[in-house]
Amino acid sequence: MKKTIMTMLAAAVLCATSWAEAVRPEDTEVWEPVPKHVRPGATFADPPEDAIILFDGETLNGWESVEGGPAKWIVANGALTVAPGTGDIRTTQKFGDVQLHIEWRTAHLPPEKKGQDRGNSGVFLQERYEVQVLDSFDNRTYSNGQAGAIYKQHIPLVNASRPAGEWQTYDIVFIAPRFEQDGTLRSPARMTVFHNGVLIHHDVELRGTTTYIGEPSYEPHGDGALRLQDHGHIVSFRNIWVRKLEGL
Ligand code: MG
């Protein structure tokens, strides 16, 4: 009897060990703390005179599919909307350190759509570093994957989300990582982010490319495009501009 229990225990430990060895998306989900909800103000930013306008409200000029060829998202009513299944898009221009302003809006969805399956998209600096776009107004998910999270790296300080169907803003200061000649990291990427005018990240350090599975790490790279994610959901963008930050 005792032997049987020991054998079962041994089998359970063995099973647990091999289970733990497989790296799962859940391994990097952080659910606590839950950012406090803060209701934002109502104004939007006009671009300053030295801004580079990345979306003119009427065409996809300056954008391409990350899979090659022209971007296939939908332009209507001054907004750029994900055409699900057509893939991520990116700017043809590449950037280093920038101040970015971008407005986004998730579609109204039935309540059975939950968690990451609710208005998911993303704003990727240099194609690698994602600030999550999600309907997080009343939609619990892992805290490091909600709207405004630097995906699976930094939980927003507060939840400044507006409800689905309303326009929201991100204002991001992005300091690109620096690499030595031999490709080793000299200084990590840093971000400061305002969500609807509310500070949600202050000069945080990134641990590398934001990844869905496993721990982030850096690969050396130069300037990179701004990339927007097709996660299969209807999400719109407008009023997208950057200011190049020189001499930092
Ligand atoms: Mg996303």
Side-chain angles (χ1 to χ4, degrees), residues 120-121 130 132 229:
N120 199 333
S121 181
E130 181 184 13
Q132 173 72 308
Q229 186 182 42

Side-chain angles (χ1 to χ4, degrees), residues 66-204:
V66 297
E67 285 149 22
K72 297 191 187 78
W73 290 18
I74 296 149
V75 178
N77 306 317
L80 175 58
T81 301
V82 177
T86 61
D88 293 4
I89 64 170
R90 68 182 168 210
T91 57
T92 53
Q93 284 187 78
K94 294 182 175 181
F95 303 100
D97 302 340
V98 290
Q99 173 186 346
L100 166 70
H101 176 88
I102 188 163
E103 299 175 11
W104 56 273
R105 181 182 63 185
T106 65
H108 287 289
L109 289 165
E112 56 267 27
K113 295 283 182 188
K114 287 188 167 72
Q116 295 289 305
D117 195 27
R118 200 170 170 83
N120 199 333
S121 181
V123 175
F124 288 75
L125 283 298
Q126 294 193 321
E127 290 202 57
R128 293 169 176 82
Y129 310 109
E130 181 184 13
V131 180
Q132 173 72 308
V133 167
L134 196 74
D135 173 8
S136 288
F137 186 74
D138 182 18
N139 176 38
R140 185 84 172 101
T141 184
Y142 42 97
S143 303
N144 63 350
Q146 69 180 63
I150 297 172
Y151 189 71
K152 288 191 166 176
Q153 294 196 30
H154 292 284
I155 297 169
L157 294 169
V158 294
N159 181 352
S161 295
R162 293 194 173 111
E166 292 190 19
W167 284 102
Q168 313 204 39
T169 63
Y170 283 154
D171 287 280
I172 298 171
V173 178
F174 174 76
I175 308 300
R178 270 53 166 175
F179 299 93
E180 304 290 358
Q181 293 280 3
D182 66 2
T184 57
L185 183 70
R186 189 195 316 156
S187 58
R190 312 184 72 89
M191 276 202 229
T192 294
V193 182
F194 292 83
H195 182 189
N196 296 325
V198 179
L199 182 71
I200 57 167
H201 299 290
H202 178 235
D203 196 27
V204 294

Side-chain angles (χ1 to χ4, degrees), residues 189-233:
R190 312 184 72 89
M191 276 202 229
T192 294
V193 182
F194 292 83
H195 182 189
N196 296 325
V198 179
L199 182 71
I200 57 167
H201 299 290
H202 178 235
D203 196 27
V204 294
E205 260 185 37
L206 274 69
R207 289 181 282 132
T209 302
T210 52
T211 49
Y212 176 51
I213 297 174
E215 292 302 321
S217 62
Y218 278 104
E219 48 164 17
H221 63 85
D223 286 357
L226 176 71
R227 171 174 153 200
L228 303 177
Q229 186 182 42
D230 169 11
H231 201 280
H233 299 175

